[in-house]
Amino acid sequence: MAESSTVSENAVIHQAQEEDYRRVVAEYGDPKRTIALVLIAAVGMYIMCMSLGTALSLRIAALASGPNALDDATRNTIYSSITATGALLNIVAQPFIGALSDRTTSRWGRRKPWIAGCLIVSAIMMAGVGLFSNAIGIGICYCLGLMMMQCGFSIYSVIPAEGVPDKYRARVMGFMGMFGALATSFGSYLAGALVRWPVALMATPVLLGLITSIPLLILYKDPRKTKAEVPEGKASDVFRGLFSGFKTRDYMLVWITRVLSGFTIAAMFSYFTYYLIDKLDTPLTSVGAAAGTLTLMSAPVSVIFFTVSGWISDKIGRRKPLVVVAGICMAAALVLAGTSHGFVQFAIAWELFAVGQAMYLTVDLALCVAVLPNKKDTGKDMSMFSVALSIGQAAAPAFAPFFINMGAGQNYLLYWCVAAVLALVAAGMMPLVKGVK
């Protein structure tokens, strides 16, 4: 009986996937072309997303090492304030821009105009980060530039949610993550190479994201919608419906887990360069290369787990078990990193974190798509999931000085242990999500 039930369950999953495939082909065209365009754009998009935080930390560290050198606590506070403020701005901007894209009736489609516009503005602002030599100017330009970059990226992330059938979606997310892992390594080396040229250091990642998006912007079939096909309401009404998805229990639970996971990921990536400097005595001129070495070492592991976990998730039609395993891996890695006294142990922790992060980023977006309550509001609701990560990313650097400066200072272990606990809480919430396997 159990075997018969499993066969019947698999048949239902397969039928639903085939119906979804036919719908996507009719509206968005050949999925193979869409997938290729999404992955080409992913190369630059992930360089952009994963390297800007490192670039900012190097920019501030360079200022702090000049004639008016800052102490470690002040440097950390400046960096935390800028990154936290930028993330808080994203909380408002991303769902608003996502909702506006849902309501766009341009002849170029709903998504493409916003992707291009947001990235162009971001590149200009990031150039300003390189031009200013004081914390206020850097902070204003970085926060605005980061906000527009995140908005452009979140709208780009809607395309695989809309234009890729469910039976391929986790694999596509896996390949996107694979490109992200490779791009992260390249981005770290790029930041290290450009550290002496501040404008290029900050603007180049966004320009790469824009350049690799050109084929998508030109060739993707982004269907033009009529006013009857988009959500009702004007721009002034957008904020009223931002939280409509929370009426659905599964949507709310997945959103909360993304907040917690966003904190976990930001805790590792926003402060690992300072850990290398403060705890492992890595010189400023070498920290970019050290970061690049870490990401290069983890790239093969990330590639394997991005691709394999996506394939497994699509094959078995399940998302939650892999998200749970990912959270456990990231938690263990943070504790191991915080107790490192040498580069080798930190590198092992980095590898383990890469395993967890790869599995999480591959499967979690597919999980988010599965709990969307309304197809018309895909842009807004997917942006709200990006906001969840932004809240975690804002909270991590906002609380970081409190934990890191506790006691004698440089208490990275306490900070990363807190992040590890949150990762375990997020994993423990997965069984509460009932509408997705």
Side-chain angles (χ1 to χ4, degrees):
M1 292 295 291
E3 182 178 350
S4 175
S5 176
T6 301
V7 171
S8 176
E9 183 179 298
N10 290 338
V12 171
I13 293 173
H14 177 74
Q15 181 180 355
Q17 288 179 335
E18 289 303 315
E19 292 176 357
D20 177 70
Y21 180 87
R22 289 191 290 270
R23 178 191 61 78
V24 169
V25 170
E27 188 170 3
Y28 298 96
D30 184 4
K32 293 181 180 179
R33 182 181 66 178
T34 300
I35 290 170
L37 295 172
V38 166
L39 294 181
I40 291 170
V43 177
M45 285 286 196
Y46 278 93
I47 290 175
M48 174 181 71
C49 289
M50 302 304 290
S51 62
L52 281 178
T54 301
L56 177 66
S57 66
L58 294 176
R59 179 79 179 112
I60 293 175
L63 291 178
S65 62
N68 299 316
L70 306 173
D71 58 60
D72 292 346
T74 303
R75 179 202 63 192
N76 290 346
T77 300
I78 291 174
Y79 176 74
S80 297
S81 299
I82 293 175
T83 53
T85 302
L88 287 171
L89 284 176
N90 289 332
I91 293 172
V92 176
Q94 284 188 50
F96 183 70
I97 297 297
L100 290 180
S101 75
D102 286 334
R103 290 161 171 77
T104 298
T105 55
S106 163
R107 63 190 180 97
W108 292 289
R110 292 193 295 173
R111 314 302 180 193
K112 295 193 293 187
W114 290 98
I115 295 171
C118 287
L119 294 189
I120 289 171
V121 174
S122 177
I124 295 171
M125 291 294 102
M126 288 302 172
V129 175
L131 289 172
F132 280 100
S133 58
N134 60 82
I136 295 177
I138 288 174
I140 292 173
C141 287
Y142 183 81
C143 289
L144 292 176
L146 182 70
M147 178 185 74
M148 298 308 294
M149 181 276 285
Q150 292 282 14
C151 287
F153 183 82
S154 66
I155 295 175
Y156 156 76
S157 299
V158 174
I159 292 177
E162 291 180 326
V164 176
D166 179 69
K167 67 178 182 178
Y168 297 138
R169 193 168 292 133
R171 273 171 281 187
V172 171
M173 300 301 182
F175 279 110
M176 289 170 65
M178 179 191 71
F179 280 104
L182 298 174
T184 299
S185 177
F186 178 80
S188 296
Y189 279 111
L190 182 67
L194 297 177
V195 69
R196 291 182 175 84
W197 298 278
V199 174
L201 171 69
M202 301 306 306
T204 299
V206 182
L207 291 175
L208 286 174
L210 182 60
I211 291 169
T212 59
S213 298
I214 290 175
L216 179 74
L217 296 173
I218 296 175
L219 300 176
Y220 172 60
K221 182 185 176 184
D222 190 3
R224 179 179 181 179
K225 299 290 185 178
T226 64
K227 291 185 177 180
E229 295 175 303
V230 301
E232 296 180 358
K234 300 178 181 179
S236 58
D237 301 320
V238 167
F239 284 107
R240 300 177 187 176
L242 286 183
F243 298 96
S244 60
F246 287 86
K247 297 177 182 178
T248 304
R249 182 173 179 272
D250 284 349
Y251 180 94
M252 179 181 65
L253 289 172
V254 173
W255 191 89
I256 293 172
T257 64
R258 281 177 68 82
V259 174
L260 301 179
S261 298
F263 188 105
T264 299
I265 294 172
M268 172 62 88
F269 289 118
S270 61
Y271 273 87
F272 84 95
T273 53
Y274 290 160
Y275 189 91
L276 295 176
I277 294 171
D278 296 337
K279 290 292 190 178
L280 303 185
D281 299 322
T282 305
L284 174 62
T285 54
S286 302
V287 72
T293 299
L294 287 170
T295 52
L296 186 62
M297 289 170 57
S298 64
V301 173
S302 296
V303 167
I304 292 171
F305 280 89
F306 272 123
T307 53
V308 172
S309 57
W311 181 84
I312 292 174
S313 180
D314 282 339
K315 194 70 174 178
I316 65 177
R318 286 163 173 78
R319 314 300 189 195
K320 295 190 296 184
L322 283 82
V323 174
V324 171
V325 174
I328 294 171
C329 289
M330 288 191 290
L334 283 164
V335 175
L336 185 61
T339 57
S340 298
H341 297 291
F343 186 80
V344 173
Q345 183 179 339
F346 190 87
I348 294 172
W350 186 269
E351 293 278 355
L352 181 58
F353 195 87
V355 171
Q357 185 201 23
M359 294 181 67
Y360 180 81
L361 294 179
T362 295
V363 183
D364 183 66
L365 276 176
L367 177 66
C368 292
V369 176
V371 299
L372 289 176
N374 188 343
K375 295 293 184 183
K376 282 188 175 183
D377 286 323
T378 297
K380 182 263 293 180
D381 288 334
M382 287 299 291
S383 294
M384 285 297 290
F385 280 129
S386 295
V387 162
L389 284 178
S390 295
I391 291 175
Q393 291 166 354
F399 286 100
F402 173 77
F403 294 111
I404 294 174
N405 297 331
M406 189 173 291
Q410 299 184 3
N411 199 345
Y412 295 95
L413 176 59
L414 175 61
Y415 177 49
W416 283 342
C417 281
V418 171
V421 170
L422 296 182
L424 294 176
V425 171
M429 290 178 64
M430 280 295 107
L432 301 177
V433 180
K434 300 298 184 181
V436 183
K437 295 189 178 296

